[in-house]
Structure formats: structure tokens, C-alpha cells
Amino acid sequence: SSLGLAEEAVQVLSDSTLVETHEQVVPVETADSLIEEAKQLIGMGDMTEAGKLLDEALSLEQDMTTLEKTKEAIGHLNMEVFFSKRVTDGTEMYEVKPGDALAKIARKYNSTVEQIMQSNGLKNTLIRPGDKLKVSSATYAIIVDKSDLTLTLQRNGKFFKQYKVAVGKPGSETPVGTFSIDNKLENPTWFHAGAVVPPDSPKNILGSRWMGISTPGYGIHGTTEPESIGKSVTAGCVRM
């Protein structure tokens, strides 16, 4: 179910803690309790208050291990809501106009046909004038932290989801700076050491996706070597 993943995400956090006073036991708001409250508000359709609780959960003072679990849980919730019909901050309803196609709407909102289909429960690309579609109108940014080997996706300047990644090895460091994503490819061909490695080759280490950044030769891509994630082992690219 749509809430099943949210419930599973919450379970990665520890139980609520209690602070005992001389007169009574007072419950303390912890990240997991706030996320549980947010999940309930999402179920009731109160996305604004749910978002506030998720922001509060991230702002709590936590040790590194607990913080990582908090981010994991919030990321699961965010993705669950993103790929649902629920309208949240950063999304809106679009009314299909004569002459529209999903590809045209996706370009307008810098999205993909697949994302619009999944968020709206569409089984095919057939749409009709007057249909209402949930689309994303948010601004997204990526922050790669080479020190802890993470890639953080932000939506409208706020945490959305975090991933573990691999980065450049010593002598082939991942470049530092601010870049744009200039191209996106599905099932990319790998051009390596003068060789052309096709997408279906087991020697193609790029995986199923490539996002090229504004420094030529570097990008963010998938992998056929999942055991390398969380290490500094690449030729400079960010590997997911």
C-alpha cells in the first residue's frame, strides 16, 4: 500500500525516549515520533503540517548514526509521497490542453514522462483535454559531499533524499565546484581508453543512467559494481 513504505521507513528509527522528572515522566519529541506524526498527517492529506514536522525532525540534535537513520526515513517518506497523487509544496495540478502530450508536459516542467505516469497512476501515455495531472514545479539541486561519500537531493532548498555514492580515487579526484547537469542518458555507451563499450556489455560500468555535468568527461552515473558504493574508487565520476 502507499503507506506501507512509509511505515517501514519509520521502523528504522529507535523507540521514543522518555525523560523522568521528580513528579512525572515527560515524553520527549524525537525524530521517529515526529516522522510518525507526519505520516499520520500525510494520510489525512495535511501535507503542509507534515512537511513542518519533517523539517523539525531534521533540526533535532542527534548523533551521526541517528541522523543518518532520520534522513533515510524522511527520504523514504518523501519518495512515497512524490510518486503518489498527493499534491504537496513543489507540485501542482496541470489541466491537459488540446494538443498536449505527456512528453510536451514533461519538457515544460523539466520532468520525465515516466515520473508523470507514476505520480498519476497512468498505465499508458494516453491523455485527454481536461484531464488533471500532478506535476512537479519545484527546483532541484544536488550536493555531493566527498568527505562522507553522500549525494543529497534537495527540493526547493530543503532536504529531500540522500544516497551513498562512490567518488574519485586518489590521483583521480572528483572535481570540486558548482556545476550544471548538461545531459541525461538511459543505458549509456561507455567510451573508455579508446574503446566503445556498448550498454549491454558486462564491461560497461556506467549502469543504466548517466547525467553529464558541465565539466567534460565527468558525470553522475549508475554502476554494475554495487560493492564499490561508499568508497573512493572511481576515475573522478560520482557513482550511485
Side-chain angles (χ1 to χ4, degrees):
S1 69
S2 62
L3 285 180
L5 181 56
E7 291 166 354
E8 180 181 348
V10 172
Q11 290 171 2
V12 304
L13 299 173
S14 60
D15 294 334
S16 297
T17 58
L18 298 175
V19 174
E20 186 174 356
T21 70
H22 293 293
E23 297 181 357
Q24 60 182 337
V25 177
V26 181
V28 176
E29 289 280 56
T30 58
D32 56 341
S33 66
L34 290 169
I35 293 171
E36 177 64 25
E37 290 180 54
K39 183 195 70 171
Q40 294 173 1
L41 289 171
I42 289 170
M44 295 185 292
D46 192 344
M47 312 308 296
T48 300
E49 289 303 314
K52 291 178 181 178
L53 289 180
L54 295 181
D55 289 341
E56 185 179 349
L58 274 180
S59 69
L60 292 178
E61 184 175 346
Q62 307 168 63
D63 61 58
M64 188 58 66
T65 299
T66 305
L67 179 60
E68 291 305 307
K69 290 181 178 179
T70 299
K71 289 180 177 180
E72 180 181 355
I74 292 175
H76 277 302
L77 269 175
N78 283 338
M79 293 298 287
E80 177 75 10
V81 173
F82 183 73
F83 287 113
S84 74
K85 295 182 180 181
R86 298 184 181 95
V87 177
T88 63
D89 179 40
T91 64
E92 61 185 64
M93 297 304 294
Y94 175 83
E95 182 172 345
V96 177
K97 300 175 177 57
D100 271 344
L102 283 184
K104 180 180 178 181
I105 298 170
R107 286 193 299 271
K108 175 181 174 67
Y109 286 93
N110 195 28
S111 183
T112 66
V113 170
E114 292 77 11
Q115 185 269 310
I116 294 176
M117 290 181 65
Q118 189 169 353
S119 292
N120 291 276
L122 301 179
K123 298 186 182 303
N124 56 58
T125 59
L126 179 64
I127 55 175
R128 298 177 176 85
D131 286 350
K132 301 290 181 64
L133 298 174
K134 174 187 169 182
V135 293
S136 176
S137 56
T139 299
Y140 293 89
I142 289 172
I143 297 176
V144 176
D145 189 332
K146 297 200 295 180
S147 65
D148 64 1
L149 301 167
T150 59
L151 181 154
T152 299
L153 177 63
Q154 293 185 335
R155 183 173 68 173
N156 288 340
K158 295 182 178 181
F159 175 89
F160 189 76
K161 187 170 175 59
Q162 182 174 280
Y163 302 85
K164 268 292 184 182
V165 296
V167 298
K169 59 190 174 185
S172 299
E173 287 81 3
T174 300
V176 175
T178 300
F179 312 96
S180 60
I181 293 177
D182 288 353
N183 57 80
K184 302 175 185 178
L185 297 174
E186 185 175 355
N187 298 319
T189 298
W190 186 32
F191 299 92
H192 176 65
V196 179
V197 186
D200 57 353
S201 170
K203 296 182 179 180
N204 187 329
I205 66 170
L206 298 183
S208 63
R209 299 292 189 275
W210 165 270
M211 296 188 292
I213 66 172
S214 48
T215 294
Y218 292 93
I220 302 168
H221 62 80
T223 185
T224 55
E225 301 173 353
E227 68 279 2
S228 68
I229 300 301
K231 301 177 182 178
S232 299
V233 293
T234 77
C237 289
V238 176
R239 184 183 296 176
M240 299 181 69

